[in-house]
Amino acid sequence: MSPDHEVLLLTSAEDLDCTPGFQQKVFHINQPAEFIEDQSILNLTFSDCKGNDKLRYEVSSPYFKVNSDGGLFALRNITAVGKTLFVHARTPHAEDMAELVIVGGRDIQGSLQDIFKFARTSPVPRQKRSIVVSPILIPENQRQPFPRDVGKVVDSDRPERSKFRLTGKGVDQEPKGIFRINENTGSVSVTRTLDREVIAVYQLFVETTDVNGKTLEGPVPLEVIVIDQNDNRPIFREGPYIGHVMEGSPTGTTVMRMTAFDADDPATDNALLRYNIRQQTPDKPSPNMFYIDPEKGDIVTVVSPALLDRETLENPKYELIIEAQDMAGLDVGLTGTATATIMIDDKNDHSPKFTKKEFQATVEEGAVGVIVNLTVEDKDDPTTGAWRAAYTIINGNPGQSFEIHTNPQTNEGMLSVVKPLDYEISAFHTLLIKVENEDPLVPDVSYGPSSTATVHITVLDVNEGPVFYPDPMMVTRQENISVGSVLLTVNATDPDSLQHQTIRYSVYKDPAGWLNINPINGTVDTTAVLDRESPFVDNSVYTALFLAIDSGNPPATGTGTLLITLEDVNDNAPFIYPTVAEVCDDAKNLSVVILGASDKDLHPNTDPFKFEIHKQAVPDKVWKISKINNTHALVSLLQNLNKANYNLPIMVTDSGKPPMTNITDLRVQVCSCRNSKVDCNAAGALRFSLPSLLLLSLFSLACL
C-alpha cells in the first residue's frame, strides 16, 4: 500500500494465546434454491477458553438454529432469509458474534443489514491521507471481564511517535468512559456493559496526532452499533382492557384490539410479537368463544350467534388471559400477559310478558292511590332499557280516573286511582293494559298477546257525607234585622242514593252566636241582632259553617259554608278628635284646634259631617267653629281669654237618613306663654303648645 493511499483498517482483536470467541467470524454461503428443514448448512467453532460450560447460541433469524455442536440448520423449508445472518454465542465467561454472508441473497424486511443500518460496501476512493473505517458491532448485555477489546485501528504508514485519539459521546462526552483506544496500538475497547434500549448507536471519531497533540489525520467517524439482544418482555401498558360485543353478533365480529409494547429493536424479531389466548373464563358454552389475530391482536368471536345468547350464558362476562410473545412467537421468545374483559351486551330480543292474563283490584269509593301492582317477566338485562317496562292503559279509562307508572326497582306496573270513583255511578271498572320496553325490540321479535293484561276493579260502597248545594251558600241582609228573622233554608243531599238515609242539620261554627238552624228542615234564622260593625264581620261578610249528618252506621258528615253579606244601616253616630286643645292667653293667632270626625258606618251614612257649637258657655260668644271640608272643622277664639280650663260642647251630625248626632266636650286649656315658656299649671295639667297642636291637627287633615 503506497503512502498516498494509506488506510486505517478495523479488524477483530486477537491474542497469541487462546482467544475467546469464534475461530472464524465471517462465512460466505451461496444462496440455495431452498434451505431444507433440519439439513446442516455449516459448522461454527466457538471457545470461551474455559470449557464452553452453558454455551448458548442465538440466530438473528427465527427460522434457523445452532445446536450444541455448533451445527447451523433451518427449522423449516425456506427460500429467502436476506443477505446476512448473525450468530451470537454466549457462555458465562465469553461471548462473540459471527457473520454469515448469503451470496446471492435478497433483502427481506427485518434483515440485520437493515437493523444495524450499515452496508458492507467497498472502500470509497479517497484522497491522500483520507481515513475510511467500518462500524464496530457490540452485543448488548455483555458480561465481565471488562475492559474488553472490540476492534483495532491499524495505520501501516503512520508516522513514528504519532498517537491514536478517540473522541465523542461515550468517550469524552457523557456518558464518559465507555470506550477507549490504545494510543499506540489502536486497540478499541469497551469498559462496561451496553444497553441498546438506552443508546443504540455511538458516533465516535478517530484521529492521529503528533506528540504535541496536533492532529495529523482525521477525525473520521467511527460508528459503534449495539446489537440488540432479546432482553425485554412484551408489556401491555394501556389497560384495563374492556371490550363489549352485542349478543347474537355474527361469527367473526371484532370485539377489541390488544396491543403490547416491546422495548427491543422493532426491526428485529426481538420485538416481533405474536398474540394468543392462554385462558378463557368461564369456558362455557365453548372453551373457544374468541380468537385473537396473532399479528394484529384483534379479538373476534368464533362461535355461532346462537351460542352468543346473553340470556342462556352462565355469565355474560368473559375474562381472557392474553399472551404476547416476541421472537415471532417461537418458544425462545419472551412473554407478557394481560387480562381482557369482554362483556356480552344485551339487546332487546325478549319482549316483556305479564305473569298472568287477568289481575283483580278493589278500591273504596272516594279513595285515591295505588290499588294493584302488575307483574311482568323479561329475560333481558335488568340494567338496560331492554328490560325496563313502560305501561299504557289502552282501554277502559275514558274519565282518566286511572294512571299507571313503572316501579323502577321491581319493574312492576303500579296502577293508581287519581280521580275518586263513585260507587253509585259505577261499581265495576275493566281496564286493558299493555306493556312495552323502553328500548325498541330487535326486528325479528314482536310484542305478543302476553304483553297485554286485563284488570278488573271493584268499587266498594262507602257511607259518604251529605253534600250541601250550593256550597258556599250566600245571602244578603240588612244589619239590625229583628231577632228570629229567617235567612234561608239550606239544602244537603246524600250521595248514597241507594241507602235512603235521613239528614239532620246543626251549627258547626257561628263566631258571633247570631244563628240557629232547624235540625229537620235546615231553616236558618237569627238569634241576635246582626251587626255589620262587629269584629266577627270581615269586609261586610259574616261566615258561618253548618253540618249535615246522615243516619248511616257510622253516620257521615258534610260541611256547608254560609256567607252573609250585611248591608249597612246608619246605626253609629260620628265622633270627633282630638278632644283636648291648648291656646296661649296672649296669642295673636286665635285658632285653637282643627277637629276631625269619623263614623263606623259606610257611605252615605257618614260624611259630609256637620260641626256646631252646641251652646256657648260665655254670654258674649267668644268661640267660633268653621268648616274646612266634609270631615274637618276649625275651632277658634273671637278674643283672648284668661288662663283657665274651658269645656266647649261640639255637636257633629252625619249624612244618614235619618241622621245621627253626637255631642262631645272639647276641653280647651288657656295657658300663660312668656319668654317661650308655656305655663298651664293654673289651667290644669301641662298639654301641647298651641303651635304644636295646630301642626298636629293640620297633619291629620292632610292624611285624609
Side-chain angles (χ1 to χ4, degrees), residues 380-556:
D380 291 313
D381 185 355
T383 64
T384 67
W387 177 81
R388 292 190 291 270
Y391 298 87
T392 306
I393 302 173
I394 58 177
N395 195 15
N397 191 28
Q400 305 301 308
S401 299
F402 302 93
E403 287 183 0
I404 188 166
H405 301 280
T406 304
N407 186 316
Q409 280 73 43
T410 64
N411 216 29
E412 295 177 346
M414 301 182 295
L415 182 62
S416 303
V417 175
V418 294
K419 293 182 180 179
L421 303 177
D422 192 337
Y423 171 84
E424 284 71 31
I425 295 177
S426 177
F428 299 97
H429 296 267
T430 300
L431 305 180
L432 185 61
I433 297 176
K434 72 174 181 179
V435 62
E436 297 177 338
N437 288 130
E438 290 184 3
D439 292 348
L441 295 173
V442 296
D444 55 341
V445 177
S446 60
Y447 295 104
S450 298
S451 296
T452 58
T454 301
V455 181
H456 299 287
I457 302 166
T458 300
V459 181
L460 302 178
D461 188 22
V462 174
N463 186 23
E464 301 170 86
V467 178
F468 284 88
Y469 182 82
D471 190 25
M473 301 161 282
M474 293 181 286
V475 297
T476 300
R477 294 289 186 273
Q478 280 191 344
E479 63 175 333
N480 299 337
I481 60 175
S482 58
V483 175
S485 297
V486 175
L487 299 181
L488 81 165
T489 299
V490 301
N491 179 33
T493 58
D494 192 343
D496 301 306
S497 57
L498 302 180
Q499 298 184 19
H500 305 292
Q501 298 180 124
T502 59
I503 296 176
R504 294 182 62 84
Y505 300 96
S506 65
V507 176
Y508 179 42
K509 288 186 178 180
D510 179 16
W514 292 342
L515 305 176
N516 175 64
I517 188 169
N518 187 303
I520 305 300
N521 61 22
T523 298
V524 178
D525 56 13
T526 62
T527 59
V529 175
L530 307 183
D531 183 4
R532 192 199 65 84
E533 291 75 34
S534 167
F536 299 106
V537 175
D538 182 17
N539 198 24
S540 301
V541 176
Y542 180 72
T543 302
L545 300 180
F546 297 94
L547 297 180
I549 307 168
D550 66 19
S551 57
N553 186 18

Side-chain angles (χ1 to χ4, degrees), residues 147-283:
R148 175 180 300 199
D149 289 344
V150 293
K152 186 175 183 180
V153 176
V154 178
D155 187 351
S156 60
D157 201 15
R158 180 166 58 92
E160 291 186 8
R161 300 182 66 188
S162 64
K163 298 180 180 181
F164 292 101
R165 182 163 61 192
L166 188 64
T167 59
K169 183 178 179 180
V171 182
D172 57 349
Q173 301 174 25
E174 293 295 342
K176 296 180 180 180
I178 296 178
F179 303 101
R180 63 191 183 191
I181 190 169
N182 187 305
E183 62 183 14
N184 296 317
T185 66
S187 292
V188 180
S189 60
V190 63
T191 64
R192 68 189 75 162
T193 299
L194 303 181
D195 187 347
R196 189 206 69 84
E197 285 71 48
V198 177
I199 300 178
V201 178
Y202 293 86
Q203 297 291 344
L204 307 181
F205 297 92
V206 180
E207 57 186 349
T208 57
T209 65
D210 61 17
V211 293
N212 296 319
K214 181 179 180 180
T215 300
L216 298 176
E217 185 177 355
V220 294
L222 171 60
E223 191 174 54
V224 178
I225 300 173
V226 183
I227 301 174
D228 186 42
Q229 303 294 308
N230 191 20
D231 58 347
N232 288 279
R233 293 182 179 276
I235 299 174
F236 292 91
R237 57 185 185 182
E238 297 177 358
Y241 296 92
I242 301 175
H244 294 264
V245 62
M246 190 69 69
E247 65 171 327
S249 294
T251 303
T253 298
T254 299
V255 181
M256 61 190 300
R257 171 169 288 188
M258 300 287 289
T259 303
F261 168 77
D262 196 311
D264 290 320
D265 191 342
T268 70
D269 286 351
N270 294 337
L272 184 58
L273 304 183
R274 293 293 182 263
Y275 301 92
N276 70 89
I277 299 175
R278 292 292 303 273
Q279 181 180 331
Q280 171 190 300
T281 305
D283 59 358

Side-chain angles (χ1 to χ4, degrees), residues 59 65 111 118 142 169-170 229 244 262 330 345 353 358 367 374 381 386 407 447 473 500 577 594:
V59 185
K65 185 176 182 181
S111 69
F118 77 95
Q142 286 184 319
K169 183 178 179 180
Q229 303 294 308
H244 294 264
D262 196 311
L330 293 179
D345 291 338
K353 297 179 180 180
E358 295 185 347
L374 310 183
D381 185 355
N407 186 316
Y447 295 104
M473 301 161 282
H500 305 292
Y577 59 88
I594 295 176

Side-chain angles (χ1 to χ4, degrees), residues 488-645:
L488 81 165
T489 299
V490 301
N491 179 33
T493 58
D494 192 343
D496 301 306
S497 57
L498 302 180
Q499 298 184 19
H500 305 292
Q501 298 180 124
T502 59
I503 296 176
R504 294 182 62 84
Y505 300 96
S506 65
V507 176
Y508 179 42
K509 288 186 178 180
D510 179 16
W514 292 342
L515 305 176
N516 175 64
I517 188 169
N518 187 303
I520 305 300
N521 61 22
T523 298
V524 178
D525 56 13
T526 62
T527 59
V529 175
L530 307 183
D531 183 4
R532 192 199 65 84
E533 291 75 34
S534 167
F536 299 106
V537 175
D538 182 17
N539 198 24
S540 301
V541 176
Y542 180 72
T543 302
L545 300 180
F546 297 94
L547 297 180
I549 307 168
D550 66 19
S551 57
N553 186 18
T557 301
T559 303
T561 301
L562 172 61
L563 302 178
I564 305 173
T565 300
L566 295 175
E567 295 178 340
D568 187 42
V569 173
N570 193 18
D571 56 350
N572 290 278
F575 57 91
I576 64 168
Y577 59 88
T579 58
V580 176
E582 291 178 355
V583 64
C584 292
D585 56 0
D586 59 351
K588 295 180 180 180
N589 184 352
L590 298 180
S591 296
V592 177
V593 67
I594 295 176
L595 298 179
S598 183
D599 195 318
K600 293 181 180 180
D601 292 320
L602 298 178
H603 190 77
N605 296 321
T606 57
D607 61 274
F609 298 112
K610 180 181 179 181
F611 295 88
E612 297 175 280
I613 298 175
H614 182 57
K615 60 182 179 178
Q616 291 279 13
V618 181
D620 54 357
K621 297 184 179 181
V622 297
W623 303 98
K624 179 183 178 182
I625 189 166
S626 304
K627 179 179 178 182
I628 297 176
N629 56 28
N630 289 343
T631 57
H632 289 76
L634 174 64
V635 176
S636 57
L637 286 170
L638 297 177
Q639 63 185 37
N640 291 111
L641 295 179
N642 293 327
K643 183 179 178 180
N645 290 334

